[in-house]
């Protein structure tokens, strides 16, 4: 894993990829090996990711790292790969203003309420 990304970003990417591929989180040792860092440095990176709420950890468990929203993102990418359009894929042209659905009334306002005593044309049957 090279490039300009930080070790923290690399750790998050490795953890995410591992969870998607294996169905469970990697061990600290696996994280250390993948990033070519010491076990202590891997633990520090995981601790920092947890502090920044980029991952969740269950206390005391070795393989209890989860990445919030990971499976949703993974499923969306798989669906896109199959050609399925996702909400974010529908782009509104810049000159079109979306309708203000939040400001529409929920109940239609009726101009005329027919007399229940009258016929279907609104006239009295007398």
């Amino acid at each position: 894993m090279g490039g300009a990304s930080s070790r923290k970003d690399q750790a998050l990417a490795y953890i995410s990829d591992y969870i998607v591929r294996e169905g469970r989180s990697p061990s600290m040792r696996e994280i250390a090996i993948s990033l070519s860092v010491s076990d202590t440095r891997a633990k520090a990176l995981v601790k920092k990711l947890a502090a920044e709420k980029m991952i969740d950890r269950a206390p005391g468990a070795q393989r209890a790292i989860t990445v919030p929203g990971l499976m949703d993102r993974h499923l969306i990418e798989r669906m896109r790969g199959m050609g399925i359009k996702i909400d974010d894929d529908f782009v509104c042209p810049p000159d079109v203003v979306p309708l203000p659905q939040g400001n529409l009334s929920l109940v239609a306002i009726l101009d005329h309420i027919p007399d229940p005593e009258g016929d279907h044309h609104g006239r009295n049957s007398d």
Side-chain angles (χ1 to χ4, degrees):
M1 293 189 159
S5 64
S6 70
R7 285 284 190 214
K8 183 182 72 173
D9 292 339
Q10 291 173 0
L12 180 60
Y14 176 76
I15 292 166
S16 297
D17 292 344
Y18 190 100
I19 291 171
V20 168
R21 187 178 65 249
E22 302 294 329
R24 59 186 170 91
S25 64
S27 67
M28 290 297 164
R29 185 74 188 128
E30 289 167 324
I31 295 169
I33 291 168
S34 75
L35 298 176
S36 301
V37 297
S38 68
D39 290 358
T40 303
R41 178 73 173 129
K43 287 176 187 174
L45 288 167
V46 168
K47 187 174 182 178
K48 185 168 183 144
L49 287 168
E52 293 178 11
K53 305 278 188 222
M54 297 174 85
I55 63 170
D56 291 323
R57 294 184 67 197
Q62 285 297 314
R63 292 181 182 260
I65 299 171
T66 58
V67 180
L70 174 64
M71 295 317 284
D72 289 344
R73 290 192 304 270
H74 175 67
L75 290 173
I76 286 170
E77 289 309 312
R78 286 191 65 191
M79 291 170 68
R80 284 184 175 138
M82 293 186 284
I84 298 171
K85 295 275 186 199
I86 309 298
D87 287 346
D88 295 342
D89 298 333
F90 294 97
V91 179
C92 189
D95 58 336
V96 175
V97 178
L99 295 173
Q101 287 97 349
N103 296 331
L104 297 177
S105 64
L106 297 175
V107 178
I109 298 172
L110 300 176
D111 290 335
H112 172 72
I113 300 174
D115 183 357
E117 306 270 327
D119 63 14
H120 63 278
H121 297 290
R123 296 182 298 250
N124 285 336
S125 53
D126 296 340

